Amino acid sequence: MSEARSALQGRSFDGIARIEDMGLCGMITLRGDLDDGTLQKAVTSVAGVDFPGRRKASLAEGRGLLWMSPDEIMVLLPHADAPGAARTLAAALSGTHHLVAEVSDARAVLRVSGPAAREVLAKLTPADVSPAAFGPGEICRTRLAQAAAAFWMSGEDSLDVVCFRSVAQYVFDLLATAAAPGGEVGHF
Amino acid sequence: MLILQCPCCGVDADETELSPGGEAHLKRYGPGSSEDDFEGYLFMRENPKGVHFERWRHAHGCGKWFHAARCTVTLEVFGTYPAQSYAPPQDILDRIAARRPGWRWREFA
């Protein structure tokens, strides 16, 4: 088995906000009927957090459930736990119509932190990231310039961004450019 | 700039987050149909100046298809509704009738 590495290998940037690679992060995609009680129970027992509602993210330390679409949930968990958790989940859902896939190495996770974190994202996405429209416990799937991405608040002044691994460097460079010193807008 | 509310996830999505999917409510004519019906299904499209019904996909969001009713001249959006529908819902038809008296689009009016 080859050694897993994150796409950005711990890179970081300091400007009006700090951009950092979050390293390896376990992810499991689950598709199925999200209203099904069996599915909800199975996925919450694996993730250890509450089942998220529409466009919500349930997060705890290093673990979480993200609502991705009306039939898709993403499980966040420590990288080493992902293969076992995917097997547990698949076993718990056998007999129901579903899809479980361990996709830990498909994406890159970045953290944008600092008082200007919202502003940095607002420069890159058409989505409304004002405090009135987007807050803790919510997930926003949108695009950052030309790449698909999703983000959620991981703290008062910090946002976690996920994008596909193949565009990790592009998204990192975008965020770094948007966070370049002197780039404050002061809108939020 | 067009902003459509995705009926699947409820997001007010910017045009650049969406992929256009062409005309809505096409009836498919497959093997065994007449040549005229097949030609109509394959090639004939509305190109209205005014009320139009289209398919869109929330490509950079939840990834789901939906239908939208809008005006091609003013970009006024009359509403969006699920992809799993054969005709626009009555409330959207009523809204269009109020805003564009005498409108017509294929079999809908």
Side-chain angles (χ1 to χ4, degrees), chain B residues 7-62:
Chain B
C8 301
C9 67
V11 166
D12 287 323
D14 181 270
E15 185 179 344
T16 56
E17 287 184 45
L18 304 166
S19 296
E23 187 175 321
H25 305 305
L26 293 176
K27 184 173 188 297
R28 181 173 183 273
Y29 288 92
S33 58
S34 76
E35 294 200 347
D36 283 349
D37 281 344
F38 186 66
E39 183 207 22
Y41 155 66
L42 203 56
F43 298 115
M44 298 314 197
R45 295 292 181 269
E46 296 295 299
N47 184 22
K49 184 178 178 182
V51 177
H52 198 23
F53 295 88
E54 293 170 310
R55 302 169 73 231
W56 287 86
R57 191 170 87 91
H58 194 190
H60 282 299
C62 68

Side-chain angles (χ1 to χ4, degrees), chain A residues 31 54-55 67-72 125-127 141-143 145-149, chain B residues 5-12 14-18 58-64:
Chain A
R31 297 195 91 134
R54 190 162 91 146
R55 297 202 308 278
W67 188 96
M68 301 297 276
S69 85
D71 59 0
E72 182 179 348
T125 170
R141 285 187 77 184
T142 178
R143 65 180 177 89
Q146 300 185 56
Chain B
Q5 187 180 67
C6 172
C8 301
C9 67
V11 166
D12 287 323
D14 181 270
E15 185 179 344
T16 56
E17 287 184 45
L18 304 166
H58 194 190
H60 282 299
C62 68
K64 301 297 178 198

Side-chain angles (χ1 to χ4, degrees), chain A residues 96-122:
Chain A
T96 53
H97 182 66
H98 75 283
L99 178 145
V100 172
E102 195 234 321
V103 292
S104 303
D105 301 321
R107 290 180 174 82
V109 187
L110 297 109
R111 177 163 290 173
V112 184
S113 52
R118 276 180 193 273
E119 221 168 88
V120 168
L121 282 163

Side-chain angles (χ1 to χ4, degrees), chain A residues 16-20 111-121 131 134-136 152-160 188:
Chain A
I16 59 170
R18 180 175 167 77
I19 320 293
E20 58 190 317
R111 177 163 290 173
V112 184
S113 52
R118 276 180 193 273
E119 221 168 88
V120 168
L121 282 163
F134 181 73
W152 60 89
M153 312 253 337
S154 48
E156 189 137 324
D157 277 334
S158 86
L159 291 116
D160 282 5
F188 298 130

Side-chain angles (χ1 to χ4, degrees), chain A:
Chain A
M1 188 71 191
S2 55
E3 184 194 341
R5 284 185 177 213
S6 72
L8 293 164
Q9 299 191 31
R11 204 160 297 159
S12 68
F13 174 86
D14 286 289
I16 59 170
R18 180 175 167 77
I19 320 293
E20 58 190 317
D21 176 25
M22 294 299 285
L24 295 172
C25 179
M27 291 183 194
I28 299 169
T29 284
L30 167 66
R31 297 195 91 134
D33 177 5
L34 300 191
D35 295 327
D36 180 23
T38 316
L39 183 146
Q40 294 192 359
K41 216 173 122 208
V43 76
T44 47
S45 70
V46 163
V49 296
D50 292 338
F51 196 79
R54 190 162 91 146
R55 297 202 308 278
K56 299 289 180 199
S58 304
L59 301 160
E61 201 52 50
R63 292 177 166 267
L65 288 176
L66 309 174
W67 188 96
M68 301 297 276
S69 85
D71 59 0
E72 182 179 348
I73 287 283
M74 174 104 83
V75 185
L76 300 179
L77 68 177
H79 190 265
D81 298 354
R87 281 193 296 273
T88 310
L89 198 51
L93 291 172
S94 66
T96 53
H97 182 66
H98 75 283
L99 178 145
V100 172
E102 195 234 321
V103 292
S104 303
D105 301 321
R107 290 180 174 82
V109 187
L110 297 109
R111 177 163 290 173
V112 184
S113 52
R118 276 180 193 273
E119 221 168 88
V120 168
L121 282 163
K123 291 184 190 184
L124 300 170
T125 170
D128 188 352
V129 290
S130 65
F134 181 73
E138 288 181 90
I139 177 165
C140 180
R141 285 187 77 184
T142 178
R143 65 180 177 89
L144 296 179
Q146 300 185 56
F151 49 82
W152 60 89
M153 312 253 337
S154 48
E156 189 137 324
D157 277 334
S158 86
L159 291 116
D160 282 5
V161 178
V162 287
C163 64
F164 285 115
R165 186 187 182 99
S166 55
V167 293
Q169 182 69 54
Y170 171 75
V171 169
F172 180 86
D173 290 345
L174 279 178
L175 290 165
T177 306
E184 299 89 345
V185 179
H187 183 65
F188 298 130

Side-chain angles (χ1 to χ4, degrees), chain B residues 23-27 29 46 53 86-88 93 103-109:
Chain B
E23 187 175 321
H25 305 305
L26 293 176
K27 184 173 188 297
Y29 288 92
E46 296 295 299
F53 295 88
Y86 291 109
L93 294 176
W103 73 283
R104 178 153 205 95
W105 187 89
R106 288 198 185 249
E107 71 268 35
F108 305 121

